Amino acid sequence: MKKLFAALLVVSFTYASSQLQAQDKPKEVEDLMDLSLEDLMKVEIVSASKKAENLFDAPLSASVLTRDEIKRAGATSIMEAFRLIPGLIVRQQTNGNFDVHVRGLDNVPPNSIMVNSANTTTLVMIDNRPVYNYLQGGTLWETLPVDLNDVDRIEVVRGPAASMYGPNAVSGVIHIITRRFTKEGVYALANTQYGSNRTAIANASVGYQKGDKFNLGISGNFQKRERNEISYYRIYDNTYVSMPDSLYNSSATGQEQAYMANPQDRYPHPGVSMNKQAVNAFVGYQPANQVRVDLTTGLQNSEVQSGYAENLITPLSTVASNTKYADMKVNAYGLTSQLSYTDGTQNPVVGGSGAKYDFNTLDANVEYGFSIKKLSIKPGLTYRKAVYDDSKYWNVETKQGLISGRGEVVTYAASVRGDYTLLDDKLRLIGSIRADKFNYPDKLYASYQIAANYKLNDKHLFRLVQSRANRSPFIYDTYLDKTFIGRAQVAPNYYVPTETRVHGSRDLNLVTSEMTEAGYRVKAAANLQLDVEVFRTITKNYAEFVQDKSVFTPGVSIKTDVSIHNLPLVVKQNGITVSANYILNKIQIKPFFTLQETKLADYSAYYNTPEANPSTNINSGIGTTVSHKGTPTVFGGAYINYQFHPKWNINLNGYYTSAQTYYHRDNLKFKDGVRGVDEIAAKFITSAKLSYNPVKQLDVFVTGRNLTSNGSREFYRADKIGASVLAGLNFEF
């Protein structure tokens, strides 16, 4: 793949250079401030109602980040670009690896395993194709096959949207829409940058467009980043050690000693935070005016160090993935169908026992839209099958694998969406409902969304939304079947063997969230637009490990049985998000912030301790309400762009998160208030990009990230992320 990408990069730059030399008179870059506020705000969105419309008229809380905004801000990856979007919590774990959440619901429940800190309640899509890890939920961001060069825009819908997009759109949807070219003939794009921590980033694309009928292209992307520090936090003695082999310590007992017996295998490249490559190809064909076929395919491989998976000894793990996909969309006379397939091999804890698996996911959906006067109706059918199998890598008989065999999540769904306007098109009513039937649990789950928009005039729009969404079942929760062998100290210098069997459940209730939201958009002046959203969500049916029983045979062994149970925990969240877009002469300013409060009702801190069992202590918190400290109460940022000369542009952007306290399950294991607890300080990150366009097709730039060099950690016991500087150039022809 590296050779293919290198060839693609050379071809792109060669073609771009030849085109640049062939120009008799270079064209100056278009002055952004020649555009009116109306032009800048005429941004289309499709994710809010599954049809193209002006963002101002969107019925839901939604935002669009355009390709030009990403380019001016100097974001180095899709994940970093999320810091430019209202309502998103974006924290960097290691150089280039991020933890991303819509409105929070992170570190829930507290005192749990690390994977519960991943964003398992947000659905990520690429061109309407779901990108989700059905083993334990969430998105392995490094496995996205596309990068910034491929992006046309990023659309975010905040709040439950499962009735439109299916399970896992619980807290929201992040929709990455890729770039398609309409220019006749051959085109080429290439960009590269290099900077601090040996960060090397390169993207390239070449393609061909023939009229309105046919286009094809191929793109590649590459990133390699080194860590800001080479140290690991050793949990059991609250110490940072410099090399992975220092993680092992003979004084550790039980699972920990066995778990880190091979630190060199777990951290083959301790100084590297990210190494990823990907190639994508696409073909589009439009044989008739109302018929279009698009086929996209690609592959990626990646290795990162991040805080996604559980590691028992230290929060950072090496995560390796090798995946490929194919996606076909057909639009014909109101009928929209899509078929996508992804497969590969992933290892969320390289070198760890039981972690590696093969997987494949098939998604198929079809929708048909039609109208009756002012009523638009769109029914749809969906089928999904996700298969995970670790039997190739582990001894199934002795329960070495996480699932010790093959597990699958099968989903059948039917949906219908209606959109009706009345009162001279001032009032718009939108409703959707979807029913999902899973193989496990054997229940029917219904999600819905009811929205009302009232457009008083061209300057004022009011909206009200009530919605409900559920998460899908996970392979891990359903099929988990693993036995851990270790030892435990029962007296000074006296140890006994331990055997812990951990298993899942096929009857768990699925995480479900309900939201009530009110919003208001206003064009307050000719050069100012405001957007305000107030929301309340209630989320329940979280599941976690509960120790069922433990049998101690003196002098022989300790055998423990652990299974997954639903908790009585209910998460209540109230918040407000405010964003603005303001133009003053040659300056564009887009500030945004979210203020929210998160409460935990009926929460027991003892659910995963030896004191817990399904009938007593797991319910000991019923009737109580506590503040949740694991998610920031204030977060947001600002985008400030100043084009002080037709050829020169400077962009300042900032991002802020308030202080949080992260609680890992080791907090209850060690019970000392130190191990398993991390006080994460408030952090404001200021970044800037200065770019120069000698001709329209060439952009030379310098980017500074975190200019104040605030090196505090942003995630539980992860790396300190300080300042960085990168320089690069971009060709577009």
Side-chain angles (χ1 to χ4, degrees), residues 2 51 87 108 112 178 194 238 319 329 343 351 428 538 540 557 566 642 646 729:
K2 289 183 179 179
K51 69 176 183 179
V108 176
S112 60
T178 60
Y194 184 83
N238 191 37
V319 184
K329 294 188 289 293
D343 74 359
R428 180 182 177 192
I538 298 177
K540 59 184 180 180
S557 67
N566 282 116
Y642 179 35
L729 51 87

Side-chain angles (χ1 to χ4, degrees), residues 286-297:
Q286 187 167 345
N289 187 39
Q290 298 186 56
V291 180
R292 182 171 178 84
V293 180
D294 288 282
L295 175 64
T296 308
T297 186

Side-chain angles (χ1 to χ4, degrees), residues 57 104 109 207 232 253 371 388 406 417 480 539 543 573 711 719 726:
D57 297 326
Y232 297 88
T253 61
S371 298
Y388 285 66
R406 182 181 185 274
R417 182 172 180 82
L480 176 63
T539 309
Q573 192 175 68
D719 286 355
L726 300 97

Side-chain angles (χ1 to χ4, degrees), residues 537-576:
T537 60
I538 298 177
T539 309
K540 59 184 180 180
N541 293 338
Y542 286 93
E544 249 296 349
F545 293 105
V546 175
Q547 184 169 313
D548 294 322
K549 61 182 178 180
S550 187
V551 178
F552 175 43
T553 304
V556 180
S557 67
I558 300 176
K559 293 187 177 182
T560 304
D561 194 47
V562 178
S563 59
I564 296 179
H565 294 263
N566 282 116
L567 303 178
L569 168 67
V570 177
V571 182
K572 301 178 179 180
Q573 192 175 68
N574 301 306
I576 180 172

Side-chain angles (χ1 to χ4, degrees), residues 18-35:
S18 65
Q19 291 295 103
L20 181 62
Q21 293 171 3
Q23 291 184 14
D24 295 327
K25 184 178 180 180
K27 297 180 181 179
E28 291 187 348
V29 68
E30 182 180 25
D31 188 345
L32 296 174
M33 297 313 150
D34 286 342
L35 301 174

Side-chain angles (χ1 to χ4, degrees), residues 491-519:
N493 299 319
Y494 180 57
Y495 300 85
V496 296
T498 62
E499 179 180 310
T500 303
R501 183 186 175 226
V502 186
H503 54 90
S505 171
R506 299 187 179 184
D507 297 315
L508 293 173
N509 294 320
L510 302 177
V511 170
T512 302
S513 185
E514 295 187 1
M515 181 193 74
T516 302
E517 182 182 79

